[in-house]
Amino acid sequence: LKPNVNVPTAEELSNQSSTLFNVANKSGIQLDSNKFASAMDNIGRSLRAEGYTPTAYPKVTAALDEMKNTAMPKDFTELKALRKMIQGAQRSADGEERRLGTILKAEFDDYIANIPNDSIIGGSKQGLTAWKQARDVYAKQSKAEVFEDMLYRADLDKSKFTASGMENSLAQQLRNLAKNERQMRLFTKEEQEAIEEAAKGGNVQNILKFMGRFAPTGPVTGIFTGGAI
C-alpha cells in the first residue's frame, strides 16, 4: 500500500502555517493577551478533573504558567513557543505527565483552530485573511499529527496481538481516538463519522488507506511501503 502523495505531511502543513502566520505577524496581528490568558486558565482548571496538580507535574505547570502570562504578546512566535513547551510535557519521563501533556495539547490546538474573531487585535485586512488561512492549515496540521502519532503507537503495540497484529493494533488506536472527545473536536462532523466507521474494523489496507488521508508519510513510512503488511 502506497501513501497518498497528494496529502501534505504534518511537517509540510507546519511550514505552510508558519508562512501564513508570519504574513499576519508583519501586519501587526496578534491575540488579545487577556482573553487568551483567560481561555488558558479555563483549560488549566479543566485538567484538575484529570488529576492535575501543579507540584506533581512541573512541565505541564510551566507550560500553563507561560500560557497565562499576559505580559508576553500573543503573536505567532509566542504561540509556536507555547506549543513546543506543551510538547515538552508530552515527552516527560512521567507517564501521567505525558498523558496530561497530550490532553493540554489537544485543548490548545482546538482553541487555536477556533479562535473567535473578537480575540484577534491589530493588523490589516490582508493580515487577517492570512491569519484565517493559517488557522485552517494549523487545524489540518493538528489532525495529521494525531494520525502520525497513532500510526507510530500502533506499530509499537502490534506485538501485543497474536493474530493480525498490525490490523488489530490499528483498529484499537482508531477506537481509542473515536472515544477521545478532546481529539475528536479537531475533526469535522463528516470526519468524525468516518473515524467511527473505520474504528469498527476492516482489513489493514483499508484502515491504512483511511489514515493516509491525514498522515501519508512521516515516522510510519515503513507501514505504508509494506514492511508491516
Side-chain angles (χ1 to χ4, degrees):
L1 181 68
K2 298 296 184 183
N4 186 347
V5 295
N6 295 318
V7 179
T9 65
E11 182 178 0
E12 290 169 342
L13 290 168
S14 176
N15 291 337
Q16 289 178 29
S17 66
S18 293
T19 299
L20 289 165
F21 273 126
N22 283 332
V23 171
N25 269 359
K26 288 178 181 178
S27 79
I29 279 185
Q30 58 183 262
L31 301 182
D32 184 303
S33 293
N34 290 320
K35 290 183 178 179
F36 182 86
S38 177
M40 297 304 104
D41 183 58
N42 288 335
I43 290 175
R45 291 176 186 275
S46 72
L47 286 180
R48 180 72 177 182
E50 297 290 339
Y52 167 70
T53 178
T55 55
Y57 307 109
K59 291 182 182 293
V60 171
T61 300
L64 280 171
D65 285 347
E66 291 300 323
M67 291 160 71
K68 293 182 287 185
N69 180 4
T70 57
M72 291 296 295
K74 295 304 183 288
D75 55 14
F76 174 63
T77 300
E78 178 64 7
L79 295 178
K80 193 172 182 179
L82 291 173
R83 199 167 192 266
K84 286 183 178 179
M85 294 174 200
I86 297 170
Q87 289 173 320
Q90 284 186 291
R91 294 189 294 269
S92 170
D94 184 327
E96 184 62 13
E97 185 161 54
R98 290 197 300 272
R99 184 183 73 85
L100 290 169
T102 298
I103 293 172
L104 181 58
K105 181 170 173 286
E107 294 284 3
F108 181 83
D109 283 349
D110 181 58
Y111 178 80
I112 299 301
N114 297 285
I115 295 172
N117 287 337
D118 63 4
S119 292
I120 302 172
I121 57 177
S124 63
K125 183 176 180 180
Q126 180 184 7
L128 181 60
T129 299
W131 176 275
K132 290 179 178 178
Q133 291 173 339
R135 186 179 60 187
D136 291 342
V137 176
Y138 182 97
K140 293 177 183 178
Q141 174 194 344
S142 300
K143 296 175 188 179
E145 288 179 348
V146 167
F147 277 87
E148 288 186 352
D149 289 346
M150 188 165 58
L151 283 162
Y152 179 73
R153 290 194 301 272
D155 196 30
L156 289 178
D157 292 346
K158 64 185 177 183
S159 62
K160 295 179 181 179
F161 300 91
T162 55
S164 301
M166 192 62 197
E167 180 178 341
N168 289 329
S169 186
L170 285 169
Q172 181 61 54
Q173 291 297 329
L174 276 170
R175 285 193 291 272
N176 290 343
L177 173 60
K179 292 184 287 188
N180 189 321
E181 293 182 7
R182 288 183 177 86
Q183 288 190 322
M184 286 290 276
R185 287 205 304 265
L186 293 172
F187 299 90
T188 65
K189 185 176 184 295
E190 291 74 18
E191 289 168 345
Q192 289 176 7
E193 291 173 352
I195 289 168
E196 291 168 355
E197 185 63 29
K200 295 176 183 178
N203 63 55
V204 70
Q205 287 87 354
N206 287 342
I207 293 173
L208 280 173
K209 183 178 180 180
F210 170 77
M211 290 184 169
R213 291 167 52 187
F214 299 94
T217 59
V220 293
T221 303
I223 297 175
F224 286 104
T225 54
I229 299 173

